[in-house]
Amino acid sequence: MIDRQRLRVWWAALLYTAFTGTDAPPKRSAGLRWLRRLTIIGWAFWSGFVTFSTVSVSPPAKTFNVIVTVLPCLLAVRSPLWGWRTLIVGIVTTPSTLPGISGSWGWHWAPGLALTAALVFYLVGESNDQAELTWAGLISFAAAAPFVRDWRDAALLVMLGGIAFFLGNTVRQRRLAEEERAAQQERRLAEETRAALLEERAGIARELHDVVAHHMSVLALRADSARFRFADKDKADLEAEIWREFADLAGTAREGLTELRRLLGVLRSEDHALLVAPQPGLARVVELVDGVKAAGTSCGLTLRGDLDAVPVGVALSVFRIVQEALSNAIQHAPGASISVELTAGPGSVGLLIENGPGEGPKRTEQAGSGHGLVGMRERAAMLAADLELGERPDGGFLVALTVPLDREEHPNP
């Protein structure tokens, strides 16, 4: 049974090739585009010179043959298919203007037109799919067949034209394969970045769960104990509604705790075991600095303000940013000195971490596989903080963070 869909595809390819198609050359850099144009134009005038030098006919016929030789190449600069269509016109019309030329070199066309055909066939193969190439080859053979003397000439013509089409299409297929590999690489990097982003967000949520759960537990405990701490037998009837309100409040807090535990179960993957140790705060930044010093790296620490007054959630996120920044400095700038400055003010928490240039490679966002800078940005966005990451003029690296403590509304990360 004939596949009608396939027939429609081939019919559309025929119409595109023979009449409607306006293909374009492959996309290249500006320098390569100009080099390609100059090469084609140079080939065109060389072919025209060969035609002018090898045909011995009247001036009008010679002029016509030179134009037919040069014009397909010039049109192929912008659209190889239009250059090929002009070439077909030349293949059909020029033999009648060149009587006796076949006796001198065996073909009915000028040698320059053969050079033009080789280039145009290559360019068509470089710019079109196999279906269009098939029709271009069949139409080209049909146009040349009436001027071929025997089957050997026909076989030679098919072989030469096929080689030009094949070379052009080979270049096209290789270019398409490279573009597909580049696209897959971009998609893979985008997926890895997205996965790292989601993992960082899940990690932040797992850490903050303990902080929120602590506040909810305290709320439930205080609501449950209020009836005993403020009990007054003389006012028991008058304050019954207040006790019911406390009971409802405690029930709501317990429900919130339950939902938080369910949320943690969703966020926690199999690779993350349940953490029972308390979440670190700003006081443990000293331990981080001591660990860096123990590894043989010079690291200075300056602490200002009341670190214990910083909210637990903010302290946890700032601690993680310090941890990641120190890890990156050791990994990407080995041997460089590091300075850490942490300031807890009445309205904000400031962090400044700097390291000098090291002996290792310069730091980039893609360096390593930890996606540490992604995590820093996510934590800063969650806190509505200002975060600056970048290289210093001397080749070192800078991490500057300012976390507002008096902002009640924070954008979602």
Side-chain angles (χ1 to χ4, degrees):
M1 183 178 178
I2 299 177
D3 189 345
R4 295 183 177 180
Q5 180 63 28
R6 183 171 296 179
L7 287 178
R8 284 195 291 268
V9 171
W10 281 94
W11 176 252
L14 173 60
L15 295 178
Y16 179 87
T17 304
F19 302 106
T20 63
T22 304
D23 57 347
K27 294 181 179 179
R28 294 182 174 89
S29 63
L32 289 178
R33 283 199 305 270
W34 277 106
L35 179 61
R36 177 181 182 274
R37 292 171 184 172
L38 292 176
T39 301
I40 295 175
I41 293 173
W43 187 289
F45 285 105
W46 177 49
S47 300
F49 174 76
V50 171
T51 297
F52 181 84
S53 302
T54 55
V55 299
S56 298
V57 293
S58 63
K62 179 178 287 192
T63 302
F64 173 75
N65 277 271
V66 171
I67 293 176
V68 170
T69 300
V70 174
L71 187 58
C73 293
L74 299 181
L75 292 176
V77 172
R78 300 299 299 271
S79 174
L81 274 181
W82 277 107
W84 169 79
R85 294 177 188 128
T86 308
L87 175 66
I88 295 301
V89 174
I91 291 175
V92 174
T93 58
T94 55
S96 61
T97 65
L98 300 172
I101 194 173
S102 61
S104 61
W105 81 299
W107 298 99
H108 289 79
W109 305 280
L113 188 64
L115 295 174
T116 295
L119 177 62
V120 171
F121 287 168
Y122 171 85
L123 295 176
V124 171
E126 188 189 27
S127 305
N128 294 274
D129 293 328
Q130 279 81 359
E132 288 79 7
L133 290 188
T134 302
W135 284 119
L138 292 175
I139 295 172
S140 299
F141 180 76
F147 308 100
V148 176
R149 294 178 296 186
D150 55 28
W151 67 270
R152 289 171 295 185
D153 288 345
L156 180 60
L157 190 66
V158 171
M159 183 184 69
L160 295 177
I163 289 175
F165 280 128
F166 175 77
L167 290 177
N169 194 248
T170 300
V171 173
R172 171 181 172 82
Q173 295 305 321
R174 181 177 179 180
R175 185 183 69 254
L176 293 178
E178 291 176 352
E179 291 176 355
E180 178 62 24
R181 283 195 296 269
Q184 290 179 356
Q185 179 73 2
E186 291 180 0
R187 289 194 294 268
R188 184 182 66 82
L189 292 177
E191 289 297 327
E192 288 182 356
T193 302
R194 176 174 173 79
L197 180 62
L198 295 178
E199 180 64 23
E200 288 292 342
R201 290 181 176 179
I204 294 172
R206 284 191 294 268
E207 293 175 352
L208 291 182
H209 165 270
D210 295 336
V211 177
V212 178
H214 170 73
H215 292 312
M216 294 292 291
S217 298
V218 172
L219 175 62
L221 179 62
R222 295 187 65 179
D224 270 338
S225 63
R227 68 186 68 185
F228 305 106
R229 291 185 288 113
F230 301 107
D232 189 345
K233 297 182 179 180
D234 297 334
K235 299 181 180 179
D237 295 336
L238 298 177
E239 297 181 353
E241 294 184 2
I242 298 178
W243 302 139
R244 282 195 297 271
E245 185 69 21
F246 273 116
D248 292 341
L249 184 60
T252 301
R254 285 191 292 270
E255 290 177 3
L257 280 171
T258 301
E259 295 301 326
L260 280 174
R261 294 189 185 98
R262 290 173 181 170
L263 173 63
L264 181 62
V266 173
L267 293 174
R268 193 180 304 280
S269 64
E270 295 179 357
D271 297 333
H272 292 84
L274 181 63
L275 299 177
V276 295
Q279 294 291 358
L282 293 181
R284 293 187 59 184
V285 171
V286 178
E287 298 178 14
L288 292 179
V289 173
D290 291 339
V292 172
K293 292 179 179 178
T297 300
S298 174
C299 185
L301 175 63
T302 302
L303 301 176
R304 297 188 181 92
D306 186 4
L307 302 182
D308 294 333
V310 178
V312 179
V314 174
L316 172 60
S317 295
V318 173
F319 174 85
R320 294 302 185 195
I321 292 176
V322 174
Q323 187 178 41
E324 187 62 43
L326 293 177
S327 176
N328 286 345
I330 295 175
Q331 180 179 358
H332 301 294
S337 61
I338 307 172
S339 65
V340 179
E341 182 178 333
L342 183 59
T343 304
S348 65
V349 175
L351 172 66
L352 178 63
I353 301 178
E354 295 181 285
N355 63 268
E359 300 177 358
K362 289 186 177 181
R363 179 194 319 227
T364 62
E365 290 227 15
Q366 288 76 24
S369 57
H371 297 278
L373 302 187
V374 175
M376 292 186 193
R377 289 194 174 95
E378 281 300 303
R379 294 180 187 276
M382 178 192 66
L383 298 173
D386 297 325
L387 177 64
E388 179 185 355
L389 303 171
E391 289 191 7
R392 301 191 314 183
D394 62 353
F397 201 77
L398 167 73
V399 177
L401 176 73
T402 303
V403 184
L405 300 179
D406 56 352
R407 192 175 299 177
E408 297 180 356
E409 296 182 359
H410 304 297
N412 294 328

mmCIF file of all heavy atoms in Angstrom, residues 7 10 28 34 41 45 51 79 96 102 108 117 140 166 173 204 216 246 298-299 313 327 332 337 387 391:
data_model
loop_
_atom_site.group_PDB
_atom_site.id
_atom_site.type_symbol
_atom_site.label_atom_id
_atom_site.label_comp_id
_atom_site.label_asym_id
_atom_site.label_seq_id
_atom_site.Cartn_x
_atom_site.Cartn_y
_atom_site.Cartn_z
ATOM 1 N N LEU A 7 4.335 10.224 0.284
ATOM 2 C CA LEU A 7 4.202 10.846 -1.036
ATOM 3 C C LEU A 7 4.058 12.363 -0.913
ATOM 4 O O LEU A 7 4.633 13.121 -1.701
ATOM 5 C CB LEU A 7 3.000 10.260 -1.772
ATOM 6 C CG LEU A 7 3.160 8.834 -2.302
ATOM 7 C CD1 LEU A 7 1.854 8.376 -2.960
ATOM 8 C CD2 LEU A 7 4.309 8.759 -3.305
ATOM 9 N N TRP A 10 7.481 13.873 -0.218
ATOM 10 C CA TRP A 10 8.338 13.949 -1.398
ATOM 11 C C TRP A 10 7.818 14.960 -2.416
ATOM 12 O O TRP A 10 8.594 15.621 -3.097
ATOM 13 C CB TRP A 10 8.468 12.568 -2.040
ATOM 14 C CG TRP A 10 9.456 11.706 -1.320
ATOM 15 C CD1 TRP A 10 9.203 10.809 -0.327
ATOM 16 C CD2 TRP A 10 10.871 11.687 -1.515
ATOM 17 N NE1 TRP A 10 10.360 10.223 0.111
ATOM 18 C CE2 TRP A 10 11.410 10.739 -0.610
ATOM 19 C CE3 TRP A 10 11.743 12.361 -2.362
ATOM 20 C CZ2 TRP A 10 12.760 10.470 -0.539
ATOM 21 C CZ3 TRP A 10 13.098 12.081 -2.298
ATOM 22 C CH2 TRP A 10 13.594 11.157 -1.394
ATOM 23 N N ARG A 28 27.334 30.937 10.210
ATOM 24 C CA ARG A 28 28.735 30.942 10.609
ATOM 25 C C ARG A 28 29.071 32.292 11.239
ATOM 26 O O ARG A 28 28.248 33.211 11.236
ATOM 27 C CB ARG A 28 29.651 30.699 9.398
ATOM 28 C CG ARG A 28 29.516 29.313 8.765
ATOM 29 C CD ARG A 28 30.506 29.173 7.620
ATOM 30 N NE ARG A 28 30.535 27.839 7.047
ATOM 31 C CZ ARG A 28 29.752 27.445 6.052
ATOM 32 N NH1 ARG A 28 28.879 28.293 5.544
ATOM 33 N NH2 ARG A 28 29.843 26.217 5.583
ATOM 34 N N TRP A 34 32.254 36.017 5.421
ATOM 35 C CA TRP A 34 32.934 36.811 4.393
ATOM 36 C C TRP A 34 33.944 35.971 3.624
ATOM 37 O O TRP A 34 34.101 36.129 2.400
ATOM 38 C CB TRP A 34 33.622 38.015 5.045
ATOM 39 C CG TRP A 34 32.696 39.157 5.263
ATOM 40 C CD1 TRP A 34 32.162 39.586 6.439
ATOM 41 C CD2 TRP A 34 32.165 40.022 4.251
ATOM 42 N NE1 TRP A 34 31.331 40.652 6.250
ATOM 43 C CE2 TRP A 34 31.310 40.950 4.900
ATOM 44 C CE3 TRP A 34 32.317 40.102 2.876
ATOM 45 C CZ2 TRP A 34 30.626 41.938 4.221
ATOM 46 C CZ3 TRP A 34 31.635 41.100 2.195
ATOM 47 C CH2 TRP A 34 30.810 41.996 2.853
ATOM 48 N N ILE A 41 32.730 33.956 -4.887
ATOM 49 C CA ILE A 41 32.859 34.983 -5.932
ATOM 50 C C ILE A 41 34.143 34.772 -6.732
ATOM 51 O O ILE A 41 34.153 34.888 -7.979
ATOM 52 C CB ILE A 41 32.829 36.385 -5.289
ATOM 53 C CG1 ILE A 41 31.444 36.665 -4.702
ATOM 54 C CG2 ILE A 41 33.177 37.453 -6.324
ATOM 55 C CD1 ILE A 41 31.361 37.952 -3.899
ATOM 56 N N PHE A 45 34.325 34.032 -10.885
ATOM 57 C CA PHE A 45 35.079 34.759 -11.914
ATOM 58 C C PHE A 45 36.171 33.883 -12.548
ATOM 59 O O PHE A 45 36.486 34.050 -13.726
ATOM 60 C CB PHE A 45 35.673 36.028 -11.316
ATOM 61 C CG PHE A 45 34.650 37.105 -11.091
ATOM 62 C CD1 PHE A 45 34.189 37.403 -9.820
ATOM 63 C CD2 PHE A 45 34.125 37.810 -12.163
ATOM 64 C CE1 PHE A 45 33.239 38.381 -9.614
ATOM 65 C CE2 PHE A 45 33.175 38.800 -11.962
ATOM 66 C CZ PHE A 45 32.716 39.083 -10.692
ATOM 67 N N THR A 51 35.703 29.871 -19.151
ATOM 68 C CA THR A 51 34.756 29.835 -20.273
ATOM 69 C C THR A 51 35.163 30.823 -21.356
ATOM 70 O O THR A 51 35.145 30.509 -22.552
ATOM 71 C CB THR A 51 33.336 30.153 -19.764
ATOM 72 O OG1 THR A 51 32.933 29.141 -18.843
ATOM 73 C CG2 THR A 51 32.348 30.211 -20.915
ATOM 74 N N SER A 79 21.516 32.104 -1.937
ATOM 75 C CA SER A 79 20.598 30.968 -1.980
ATOM 76 C C SER A 79 21.140 29.930 -2.957
ATOM 77 O O SER A 79 21.032 30.100 -4.176
ATOM 78 C CB SER A 79 19.195 31.416 -2.407
ATOM 79 O OG SER A 79 18.341 30.291 -2.584
ATOM 80 N N SER A 96 23.416 24.606 -27.398
ATOM 81 C CA SER A 96 23.048 25.089 -28.736
ATOM 82 C C SER A 96 23.888 26.283 -29.168
ATOM 83 O O SER A 96 23.948 26.609 -30.359
ATOM 84 C CB SER A 96 21.565 25.476 -28.751
ATOM 85 O OG SER A 96 21.317 26.529 -27.823
ATOM 86 N N SER A 102 32.009 19.767 -28.199
ATOM 87 C CA SER A 102 32.127 18.401 -27.703
ATOM 88 C C SER A 102 33.288 17.660 -28.366
ATOM 89 O O SER A 102 33.851 16.733 -27.784
ATOM 90 C CB SER A 102 30.815 17.643 -27.928
ATOM 91 O OG SER A 102 30.516 17.581 -29.311
ATOM 92 N N HIS A 108 29.244 18.872 -24.094
ATOM 93 C CA HIS A 108 28.549 19.911 -24.850
ATOM 94 C C HIS A 108 28.517 21.243 -24.105
ATOM 95 O O HIS A 108 27.832 22.165 -24.541
ATOM 96 C CB HIS A 108 27.109 19.470 -25.164
ATOM 97 C CG HIS A 108 27.042 18.367 -26.184
ATOM 98 N ND1 HIS A 108 27.275 17.053 -25.875
ATOM 99 C CD2 HIS A 108 26.788 18.404 -27.522
ATOM 100 C CE1 HIS A 108 27.150 16.302 -26.954
ATOM 101 N NE2 HIS A 108 26.857 17.104 -27.981
ATOM 102 N N ALA A 117 29.177 24.088 -12.021
ATOM 103 C CA ALA A 117 28.281 23.015 -11.584
ATOM 104 C C ALA A 117 28.840 22.297 -10.360
ATOM 105 O O ALA A 117 28.099 21.977 -9.419
ATOM 106 C CB ALA A 117 28.057 22.030 -12.730
ATOM 107 N N SER A 140 18.852 17.484 -12.302
ATOM 108 C CA SER A 140 20.111 17.812 -12.976
ATOM 109 C C SER A 140 20.448 16.771 -14.037
ATOM 110 O O SER A 140 20.855 17.107 -15.164
ATOM 111 C CB SER A 140 21.246 17.901 -11.945
ATOM 112 O OG SER A 140 20.983 18.912 -10.990
ATOM 113 N N PHE A 166 27.476 14.672 -2.514
ATOM 114 C CA PHE A 166 27.823 13.894 -1.315
ATOM 115 C C PHE A 166 28.757 14.672 -0.397
ATOM 116 O O PHE A 166 28.569 14.685 0.824
ATOM 117 C CB PHE A 166 28.465 12.568 -1.744
ATOM 118 C CG PHE A 166 28.967 11.752 -0.592
ATOM 119 C CD1 PHE A 166 28.087 11.022 0.194
ATOM 120 C CD2 PHE A 166 30.321 11.725 -0.279
ATOM 121 C CE1 PHE A 166 28.551 10.274 1.259
ATOM 122 C CE2 PHE A 166 30.791 10.978 0.786
ATOM 123 C CZ PHE A 166 29.898 10.248 1.565
ATOM 124 N N GLN A 173 25.792 17.204 7.383
ATOM 125 C CA GLN A 173 25.461 16.255 8.437
ATOM 126 C C GLN A 173 26.419 16.383 9.612
ATOM 127 O O GLN A 173 26.010 16.271 10.771
ATOM 128 C CB GLN A 173 25.488 14.826 7.884
ATOM 129 C CG GLN A 173 24.434 14.544 6.822
ATOM 130 C CD GLN A 173 23.026 14.852 7.309
ATOM 131 O OE1 GLN A 173 22.674 14.592 8.456
ATOM 132 N NE2 GLN A 173 22.220 15.417 6.427
ATOM 133 N N ILE A 204 18.102 23.699 52.256
ATOM 134 C CA ILE A 204 17.750 24.846 53.108
ATOM 135 C C ILE A 204 16.461 24.561 53.881
ATOM 136 O O ILE A 204 16.353 24.842 55.075
ATOM 137 C CB ILE A 204 17.600 26.109 52.252
ATOM 138 C CG1 ILE A 204 18.956 26.491 51.643
ATOM 139 C CG2 ILE A 204 17.055 27.268 53.075
ATOM 140 C CD1 ILE A 204 18.869 27.611 50.620
ATOM 141 N N MET A 216 7.534 26.187 66.926
ATOM 142 C CA MET A 216 6.193 25.629 67.040
ATOM 143 C C MET A 216 6.049 24.793 68.308
ATOM 144 O O MET A 216 4.990 24.807 68.969
ATOM 145 C CB MET A 216 5.891 24.772 65.808
ATOM 146 C CG MET A 216 5.816 25.559 64.497
ATOM 147 S SD MET A 216 4.381 26.662 64.438
ATOM 148 C CE MET A 216 3.051 25.485 64.338
ATOM 149 N N PHE A 246 -6.833 29.021 74.396
ATOM 150 C CA PHE A 246 -5.488 28.463 74.521
ATOM 151 C C PHE A 246 -5.444 27.016 74.019
ATOM 152 O O PHE A 246 -4.471 26.582 73.387
ATOM 153 C CB PHE A 246 -5.017 28.521 75.984
ATOM 154 C CG PHE A 246 -4.359 29.823 76.350
ATOM 155 C CD1 PHE A 246 -4.913 30.673 77.304
ATOM 156 C CD2 PHE A 246 -3.169 30.190 75.736
ATOM 157 C CE1 PHE A 246 -4.298 31.864 77.626
ATOM 158 C CE2 PHE A 246 -2.554 31.384 76.072
ATOM 159 C CZ PHE A 246 -3.118 32.230 77.016
ATOM 160 N N SER A 298 46.305 30.399 56.183
ATOM 161 C CA SER A 298 46.194 31.582 57.028
ATOM 162 C C SER A 298 44.790 32.153 56.924
ATOM 163 O O SER A 298 44.298 32.443 55.834
ATOM 164 C CB SER A 298 47.213 32.631 56.582
ATOM 165 O OG SER A 298 47.030 33.831 57.304
ATOM 166 N N CYS A 299 44.127 32.307 58.068
ATOM 167 C CA CYS A 299 42.734 32.771 58.073
ATOM 168 C C CYS A 299 42.512 33.663 59.284
ATOM 169 O O CYS A 299 42.703 33.235 60.430
ATOM 170 C CB CYS A 299 41.777 31.588 58.101
ATOM 171 S SG CYS A 299 40.030 32.053 57.956
ATOM 172 N N GLY A 313 17.236 31.287 62.353
ATOM 173 C CA GLY A 313 17.221 30.998 60.919
ATOM 174 C C GLY A 313 18.257 31.792 60.155
ATOM 175 O O GLY A 313 18.935 31.272 59.264
ATOM 176 N N SER A 327 35.284 26.893 52.069
ATOM 177 C CA SER A 327 35.582 25.693 51.291
ATOM 178 C C SER A 327 36.021 26.045 49.872
ATOM 179 O O SER A 327 36.990 25.485 49.342
ATOM 180 C CB SER A 327 34.345 24.780 51.252
ATOM 181 O OG SER A 327 34.569 23.660 50.428
ATOM 182 N N HIS A 332 39.858 26.523 45.470
ATOM 183 C CA HIS A 332 40.168 27.221 44.223
ATOM 184 C C HIS A 332 41.298 28.236 44.348
ATOM 185 O O HIS A 332 41.755 28.760 43.339
ATOM 186 C CB HIS A 332 38.910 27.924 43.693
ATOM 187 C CG HIS A 332 37.781 26.979 43.435
ATOM 188 N ND1 HIS A 332 37.820 26.011 42.462
ATOM 189 C CD2 HIS A 332 36.574 26.852 44.046
ATOM 190 C CE1 HIS A 332 36.685 25.332 42.463
ATOM 191 N NE2 HIS A 332 35.921 25.813 43.422
ATOM 192 N N SER A 337 45.803 33.654 51.616
ATOM 193 C CA SER A 337 45.314 34.047 52.931
ATOM 194 C C SER A 337 43.839 34.434 52.846
ATOM 195 O O SER A 337 43.379 34.964 51.836
ATOM 196 C CB SER A 337 46.141 35.210 53.471
ATOM 197 O OG SER A 337 46.034 36.330 52.600
ATOM 198 N N LEU A 387 23.782 40.149 48.290
ATOM 199 C CA LEU A 387 24.954 39.282 48.178
ATOM 200 C C LEU A 387 25.800 39.717 46.988
ATOM 201 O O LEU A 387 25.284 39.908 45.883
ATOM 202 C CB LEU A 387 24.524 37.820 47.996
ATOM 203 C CG LEU A 387 25.654 36.801 47.796
ATOM 204 C CD1 LEU A 387 26.525 36.721 49.038
ATOM 205 C CD2 LEU A 387 25.085 35.430 47.444
ATOM 206 N N GLU A 391 35.399 38.450 41.552
ATOM 207 C CA GLU A 391 36.850 38.502 41.681
ATOM 208 C C GLU A 391 37.318 39.905 42.058
ATOM 209 O O GLU A 391 36.738 40.900 41.645
ATOM 210 C CB GLU A 391 37.520 38.075 40.365
ATOM 211 C CG GLU A 391 37.390 36.605 40.052
ATOM 212 C CD GLU A 391 38.295 36.198 38.903
ATOM 213 O OE1 GLU A 391 39.100 37.045 38.457
ATOM 214 O OE2 GLU A 391 38.191 35.046 38.459
#
